[in-house]
Each structure stands twice: as C-alpha cells, then as structure tokens.
Amino acid sequence: MKAALSSLTVVVAVLSCAPARPWAAPPALPGSEPLAEPGDLAAEMVGGIDRYLERELAAGPARRWEATARVLEEIEAELGGQPEASRSGLRMERWLERSETNRVRLGHLLGVVDVREPVSMRFLAPVGTNASPDSVEVGRGPGYRIYAVVWNVFRGVEGEGLLVVPEGEPKADVIAVPDCDGTPEQALGLVAGVPVEQQFARRFATMGYRVLVPALIDRGERFAGNPGVRAVRHSQRETLWRASYEMGRTPLGYEVQKILAAADWLAATRTAGPRTNLMDWPGVLARVREPGRRRQELGVVGYGEGALLAFYAGALDRRFLAVGVCGAFGLGWRVAEQPIYRNVWSLLDGFSEAELAALIQPRGLVIEWGRYPEAVHTDEHGGAPGRLWRPALAEFEAEAKRFTDQWPGAGVEFVRRGPESVCDGSTTQRFCERLAGTVRGEPRLGAQPEAVGTLPDPVARVRRQYLQVLEDTQWLMRESEYTRREFWKQADRSTVAKFVASAESYRDLFYRQVVGVLPPASLPPRPRSRFLYETNGYRGYEVVLDVHRDVIAFGILLVPTDLRAGERRPVVVCQHGLEGRPRDVADPSVENPAYHRYACRLAERGFVTFSPQNPYIGRTRFRQVQRKAQPLGLTLWSFMVRQHEAITDWLARQPFVDPERMGFYGLSYGGKTAMRVPVLVGRYGLSICSADYNEWIWKNVSARAPYSYLWTSEYDMAEFNLGNTFNYAELSWLIFPRPFMVERGHDDGVAPDEWVAYEFAKTRRHYVKLGMGDRVEIEFFDGPHTIHGQGTFDFLHRHLRFGGPAREAGALDGSAGRVP
C-alpha cells in the first residue's frame, strides 16, 4: 500500500448519479496507467502529509545550520581585507547588525509588537491598611526584604510578582522567572511546594541582588472554558493561545512583554545604599537613576516555562547582559509534541534553539540540562494534546553542538546536571560571573526567608492575569476592523485593473504569512486510473496523480456521457466539510442532509463535477498534522493549494473540460476552502461559499459568543495574525473580479444572520463600487447548515456560461430570498 502510494497523489473516482447497470469495463482512462491501490485513501492522505512534515522537521536542523553558515561565510567574505587582529570584533559587529532583522521578525512571530506604556511599580498592601513600608512588606530574609508588586505593561495588561530588595546597594538586577506551575513565593522559599535546592530565585536574593520574580498563568483549566459548554475544557494557556494567535499574539509573547516591562522599570530605577534610605516612602525603590551613575547590570533567568520566556526575552532585548535557561533547551525541534500554547508560527523556519542562542551573542548565556517540568494535556475534553518532558542528553547535546560548531569559543556554557537540579549553585555562579563579574565560591541559599505580612492569593492572581490577557485579545478583536482598514490603505480602488494589480501584494502576503507556501509539484503527474462503472448517464474512473512524495489526495469526478465529439463542458468542484468524504457529496446512494448529493444534481444538469477529498478528516490526527505544519510556516491549506492546482491542471487537460470555465462550490469546511483556495488557484473562475461565510474573526476570537471556536474542539482553526489582515470580506476582495456568492440558511449554527450580513455588506460594496455588482450575490433561505442548491445553481449556470438542461423544479427545502 505505502509503496504504491509513495507520492502526493490525487485520486479521482468517476461515478454516476443514476442507478448503475451492468457494463463491460472499458479500458483505463485515455492517457493513464492502470490503478490498483485499495484501502482508506483519506487516512492514507492524512498520514502521507504527516510523513512529509516529519521529513521536513528531521531535515530542519541541518537546513538551519546551513543557512547560518551561509551568513557567516558572507561576513567572512566582507572582512577579507581586514587584519586578523581586528577580524573577531568586526565579525561580531557585522553579526549583530544582521541579527537585528531577525530580532524584529522573532518579535513579530511571538506577538511582541505592542508599544509598552511608561512603567510604574505598585506595591500591594492588604485591604484596609495604609500604604507604608511596613504594610507592603510580605517577607524578610537575611539582608533583604520582599514586596508584592504589580506593574503596568499596556492596555490594562499587568505583570505581578514579588520584588526582593537588598538592604545595601544591589550588586545587579535579576528577573528570575519560575515555571508557570510554580509561584514566586515558592521560588523564594516563602511557602512550601518546591524543594529547597530548587528555590533558585532565593539564591540571587541571598547574594545581594535586586530580584523580580514574575508570576505566570498556570497550565490548569480552573478559569478557562465556556461555563455553558463544560463538555469542552482545555487549559487557560490554550484558551489564550487560541484567542491571541488569530490576532498576531501568543501567550508567550504576552509574558515576554511583562518581563520586558519589568526590565524597563529596573533599568530606570535604582535602590539607595543605606538601609534607612530604603524606607523613604513613597520614594522607596522608585527613584530614577541619577545622571552619571554606573548602569546596573541586568540579567534574566528562568526554569521550565520561565526558562523559555527568559530565552526569548534575552534574544529580543540586548539589555540583558546574562541569560539563564534551565529546563527548556533541547525540545525545540519537537515543538508540535509540546502543549499548543508553545506553538509559534514559522518559528523553526529561522529560529532553532541554536539560532536563538546566537541572537544572544556576545552576551552571557548559561543553559542547564537538569530538571524539566513534566506535564500532559489530552484531547479527552476537546483540548489539544501535548506534553512536556526531559529530553535525552543526546538531544540536548545535538542542539548544543549545532551552536558550538558555528560559534567556537562563544560565551555560552552548556551545563549538565542531575534530573532534580534547577539552576543549582554552580549554574548560578556561572550566570552571575557573566552578569556582574567574578563570584567568590558557589552561591548558597542562606537562611529561609519568613513571611511577615499577608502573602498574595496565588489563585486570585492567576485569575487576574488570565482575564487581563483574555480581555486584551477581545480588545484587539473589536479593533481589528479598523486595523485591517489601515492595512488595506495601499489598495487602489480607482479602477478594476488598478485594484487587481495593487491586490497582488496582499495576495502574496496572505500566501506567505497566513497560508504558507509548499513547494510546487516536484514529480510529473503520471496519471493512473481504473474504470468503476457506467450508468445511464455517466462513466466512472478513479485517477491518481503524483505531486510530491508520500502524501495523497483523492476525489470523485462525475462526467456526463452525452458529450458530443470535441465538446468541452464547465467543471464545478464540489467540496465537502469537516470529517466529510467525497461520497457524501457525489454518491447517489448516500443521502447526507448537509449535502443532498449536490455534485450528482449538478451532473444531472450537464456539468462535469469533481469532489476532492480534503485533509480535514481524522479528528485529532489531522489537527496534530496541522500542529506539525505551523512551526514550519505551513498549514493544511498549503497542501490543499497544491492539491487543487494538480486537480485543476489535470482537469484542464481532459478533452471534455473547458479550462476557462471552472467553478468552486464548498459547504462548511468546504466553505472555508472556498474562501482560501480560489484566492491562490487562478484556474477557479468563481467561488461559492456555503454555510461558512460570516464575521470570521469574531467566530475565532470571541470569548462571549456561543458560536465561537474558542470553546470547541477545533483548535486547528486559528490562523496567525489573520485578524489584523484578512477577514472574509478582504478574502473576497482577493477573489474579485471573479464572481462570488454566499449561500446562507437562517438556522445555520455557524453564526447568526447578522454576522453574515454585516460581513457580506463589505463584500458587496466592493463589487458594486468597482462596477461588478452583477458578479456578487447572497442567498438566504429558511433552513439549516446545508446545501440549498437553488440560487447557487442559477449562479453557476449564468457565470460559467452554461445553459444545460431545464432547471429541476423547486428547491431542496424551504424558500429562498436572493440579494443580487
């Protein structure tokens, strides 16, 4: 089976919509070889795409190594005439210049794009007390005091945590970020829950550093989910990923912004030397650094999720003179196996862990292979499966070697420790030496600090943090219409020709930055076919076409037998929805209430119809394939575009097909396809979106609407930064000036009529204003999530210029009202 299907394949079954009768099998379709593949081709197709992506992931480390090597070779060539003594410094200078572009791109992918507000630090005092030094102090250790603090970031998003202030002048500033399932209080030893030797933030406090310990949103599901749909539950971090990803942000990016805002404050303030000055309220800890004073060193270190954040923050912000990564390095190339809230669009197309480490050069970087957090998320309640684990030492060493091979002698230390080590004394010493110079002896933990005031409620703190980020995604959603309006300002709407020309840059951006570009077909098509049967009106064949190695696609083609010699008919590609199969659309023996055999009914009218299998089948399996694609800058749409190119190219070569008259008509997920694939496959001369067109950004991001994908099992729906660039109206503009139609049932639960009409008004206005009002239409009918097959059939006849037989009487159900 696998040997026979070793290529990206298009399988086409030619069937009839009339009862079959016995027939002597004719030869295979002219121009094709015999086809013999059995089995579930839909499962094989999804599995093949999976194998394709696995190969790409496996090849990724070497590919990224070669890309970095080319850059270093270019730098060496530029320095060819420089004296050897100065080459090292110049090499690093040129690298830093080039890495700025990468830094900006990394910030975009993480969603670190919002301008932070001027930051201020607030000290949390228990309710009912006066804000005085004694009332806000929550803990005290040998030579330092601990305060509960809050600082602003932007738009109501705040950071929270604990601030450690030494009694004398601090040696340096350190942001110490615990894992998200830990708390600042545990990292400092104020409460139980973390073994003493893993209280890494406490080491820095004992050493006389000013230490800020941020709180993160944990992996639990306490506050996530829709109270009305408790059957679907996923982690708080996954909820935030779903909402933020569509808006060009990520949970990682929000928490990196909190760290950078804390760095803003630490960089702008200083602590006074004498202990008495520390108590100079309200100026305590908030004095602007006096002109001429020595700039205080700033470092960031973390464990687990905190280590990943420290790694990103250090790569983005050169103010961090030392970066510590404990319990995160070595997992990067297996990001698709990790929890979805670590998913970053196209991260591996430019930012392997070795490349992140290179962005930190020449500053200090210490990476520890010790304890790693362990976590498991399942798909049992509709969330995305994922896990965290400690990588094998060989995996850690392999990525470390990729860095050291290209940066010999760099200021990076890879530290190997036992499975319970979290930034131990030796690792801390190395970090501090890179931050503030020589450290005498291995840092000790010192006496345990004691709580002297009311400690923050960690549950209430997580809730505040979660709701603040969630609300920010809702603000971005509400503003997205205006953001897209600004984004589209460069489109020239003065004439049809000028708009089409100016829209090409938007089409290119949609393809590269939202869909992802899969390489064109790498194999000749080599069609193979087998005859199925003939009825009183149609003949049937299955056809296989090669596109790329190892992945397949297939569909059902219905071809009328009354074709005259040399006659070419229009083709309608009829696309099924989620978990569907071509038989749902084009098998006369299957009455699926969503489709009503509409491919058969169109064939009865004389159209050639083709019903492909799209890869959104297999529930969690296909969604996990999507997970593997996204870090590579690909999506399932990337594959579907190439499949539909292969299908339409093959159809165009058939003697019974008019290549200038091809239309697309899809329902549900097929409607999603109708909004995307025809944008990028130029052979489609029109597109009909049934049972899907709506205010798509609200549909994906809204935390309030019962229609929202935020609370369902479809974690594959989010598309990075789509909300700021392309809603369905804007995608229809990229279909323009080709005819476009929407089919909408009043009882369709995808979205309410109001959402559909609101979005479609922008589509229709665009066509009308450019003189193409006769090419755009919407049909409302009194019915559910289904093909209505009335106005849409007229639309196909009219715009594919095909009279065909008399229209069949009546609609499938209900009554229709079309808005031309």
Side-chain angles (χ1 to χ4, degrees), residues 177 200 204 300-315 322-331 353 356-357 360 364-372 396 412-415 421-423 427 431:
V177 194
F200 71 103
F204 296 104
V300 61
V301 60
Y303 163 64
E305 211 70 20
L308 192 59
L309 296 171
F311 205 7
Y312 286 136
V323 179
V325 178
C326 304
F329 190 89
L331 297 172
E353 292 167 314
L356 290 174
I360 296 173
L365 174 60
V366 180
I367 299 175
E368 180 184 81
W369 181 72
R371 180 179 176 82
Y372 284 66
F396 179 90
V412 178
E413 287 205 52
F414 294 94
V415 182
S421 175
V422 175
C423 197
T427 301
F431 173 86

Side-chain angles (χ1 to χ4, degrees), residues 232-539:
V232 176
R233 299 197 307 275
H234 40 70
S235 74
Q236 292 140 188
R237 296 183 75 84
E238 178 174 339
T239 298
L240 297 180
W241 180 86
R242 294 189 187 202
S244 62
Y245 192 81
E246 189 87 0
M247 303 311 305
R249 275 74 171 178
T250 65
L252 294 169
Y254 274 106
E255 291 180 328
V256 166
Q257 286 276 46
K258 294 179 183 184
I259 291 171
L260 299 183
D264 294 342
W265 184 82
L266 291 169
T269 61
R270 66 175 178 86
T271 58
R275 183 173 181 274
T276 53
N277 288 343
L278 276 174
M279 297 297 100
D280 179 17
W281 191 263
V284 58
L285 314 176
R287 241 174 257 162
V288 176
R289 191 178 293 282
E290 297 171 2
R293 285 187 63 94
R294 176 180 62 84
R295 176 176 176 175
Q296 194 160 291
E297 291 81 358
L298 175 62
V300 61
V301 60
Y303 163 64
E305 211 70 20
L308 192 59
L309 296 171
F311 205 7
Y312 286 136
L316 289 172
D317 197 326
R318 293 170 61 184
R319 292 178 299 177
F320 295 111
L321 302 183
V323 179
V325 178
C326 304
F329 190 89
L331 297 172
W333 287 101
R334 299 175 67 179
V335 64
E337 300 173 50
Q338 297 173 53
I340 197 169
Y341 45 79
R342 289 190 171 190
N343 192 25
V344 178
W345 166 253
S346 73
L347 180 71
L348 299 180
D349 183 25
F351 299 103
S352 67
E353 292 167 314
E355 287 168 300
L356 290 174
L359 285 178
I360 296 173
Q361 291 302 294
R363 295 166 289 142
L365 174 60
V366 180
I367 299 175
E368 180 184 81
W369 181 72
R371 180 179 176 82
Y372 284 66
E374 295 183 358
V376 176
H377 300 281
T378 73
D379 62 351
E380 182 180 1
H381 299 294
R387 66 188 182 96
L388 293 174
W389 69 98
R390 188 188 195 214
L393 181 58
E395 293 177 282
F396 179 90
E397 299 280 13
E399 191 66 14
K401 186 175 185 300
R402 277 189 279 274
F403 175 82
T404 55
D405 281 351
Q406 292 184 319
W407 295 95
V412 178
E413 287 205 52
F414 294 94
V415 182
R416 289 79 176 169
R417 290 289 180 268
E420 298 303 318
S421 175
V422 175
C423 197
D424 68 5
S426 176
T427 301
T428 301
Q429 181 179 3
R430 296 168 193 233
F431 173 86
C432 293
E433 286 173 346
R434 280 148 185 78
L435 176 63
T438 303
V439 177
R440 294 184 178 179
E442 190 172 297
R444 305 297 179 186
L445 282 167
Q448 182 174 352
E450 60 178 359
V452 296
T454 303
L455 294 173
D457 180 347
V459 175
R461 182 172 57 199
V462 167
R463 184 175 186 274
R464 285 192 299 271
Q465 301 256 295
Y466 168 74
L467 291 177
Q468 286 170 8
V469 174
L470 184 62
E471 173 53 32
D472 193 65
T473 66
Q474 305 307 289
W475 183 88
L476 290 169
M477 177 193 71
R478 293 189 294 270
E479 288 293 307
S480 65
E481 179 176 354
Y482 309 102
T483 306
R484 292 191 301 275
R485 188 179 299 173
E486 183 68 21
F487 174 72
W488 276 84
K489 281 179 66 174
Q490 300 305 312
D492 187 343
R493 291 178 169 84
S494 58
T495 68
V496 171
K498 288 182 178 179
F499 177 81
V500 170
S502 65
E504 282 308 302
S505 61
Y506 291 96
R507 190 188 319 277
D508 179 68
L509 187 147
F510 173 68
Y511 200 2
R512 289 183 296 104
Q513 298 187 16
V514 177
V515 169
V517 181
L518 189 74
S522 59
L523 298 173
R526 195 171 68 88
R528 287 93 71 198
S529 70
R530 63 184 165 212
F531 175 81
L532 295 178
Y533 52 79
E534 178 170 343
T535 68
N536 57 5
Y538 306 87
R539 286 182 179 168

Side-chain angles (χ1 to χ4, degrees), residues 692-767:
D692 187 69
Y693 187 99
N694 70 101
E695 219 294 358
W696 183 251
I697 308 308
W698 296 351
K699 172 74 174 174
N700 278 274
V701 181
S702 174
R704 183 171 183 180
Y707 315 97
S708 176
Y709 281 130
L710 206 60
W711 313 123
T712 72
S713 61
E714 285 103 334
Y715 60 83
D716 55 296
M717 289 296 177
E719 296 161 278
F720 184 68
N721 204 31
L722 191 73
N724 296 312
T725 52
F726 304 96
N727 204 338
Y728 272 13
E730 288 83 3
L731 289 176
S732 72
W733 301 347
L734 294 179
I735 294 171
F736 175 89
R738 293 169 287 171
F740 175 72
M741 184 174 180
V742 171
E743 185 176 51
R744 163 71 192 179
H746 289 308
D747 299 326
D748 193 332
V750 164
D753 284 346
E754 293 85 346
W755 285 20
V756 178
Y758 179 76
E759 189 68 11
F760 184 77
K762 290 175 276 189
T763 290
R764 185 172 188 277
R765 181 177 63 235
H766 179 80
Y767 275 76

Side-chain angles (χ1 to χ4, degrees), residues 760 764 776-780 817-820:
F760 184 77
R764 185 172 188 277
V776 65
E777 193 170 313
I778 189 169
E779 179 186 45
F780 289 95
R818 298 194 342 258
V819 181

Side-chain angles (χ1 to χ4, degrees), residues 66 109-110 117 175 395 440 482 528 542 580 628 706 742:
E66 291 167 2
L109 299 180
L110 289 168
E117 300 167 353
I175 300 175
E395 293 177 282
R440 294 184 178 179
Y482 309 102
R528 287 93 71 198
E542 288 181 325
K628 292 179 181 180
V742 171

Side-chain angles (χ1 to χ4, degrees), residues 640-641 644-645 648 676-684 738:
M640 284 185 260
V641 166
H644 281 261
E645 286 177 346
T648 55
R676 291 162 178 80
V677 167
V679 168
L680 301 172
V681 178
R683 285 195 182 275
Y684 287 123
R738 293 169 287 171

Side-chain angles (χ1 to χ4, degrees), residues 183-259:
T183 68
E185 292 77 17
Q186 291 172 332
L188 284 168
L190 280 172
V191 300
V194 172
V196 171
E197 62 274 11
Q198 296 175 12
Q199 296 169 8
F200 71 103
R202 180 174 155 194
R203 293 184 190 276
F204 296 104
T206 302
M207 294 174 68
Y209 289 80
R210 184 166 58 158
V211 186
L212 184 62
V213 190
L216 305 181
I217 298 165
D218 65 45
R219 298 184 181 95
E221 58 180 42
R222 183 185 292 110
F223 306 117
N226 186 341
V229 192
R230 290 308 295 165
V232 176
R233 299 197 307 275
H234 40 70
S235 74
Q236 292 140 188
R237 296 183 75 84
E238 178 174 339
T239 298
L240 297 180
W241 180 86
R242 294 189 187 202
S244 62
Y245 192 81
E246 189 87 0
M247 303 311 305
R249 275 74 171 178
T250 65
L252 294 169
Y254 274 106
E255 291 180 328
V256 166
Q257 286 276 46
K258 294 179 183 184
I259 291 171

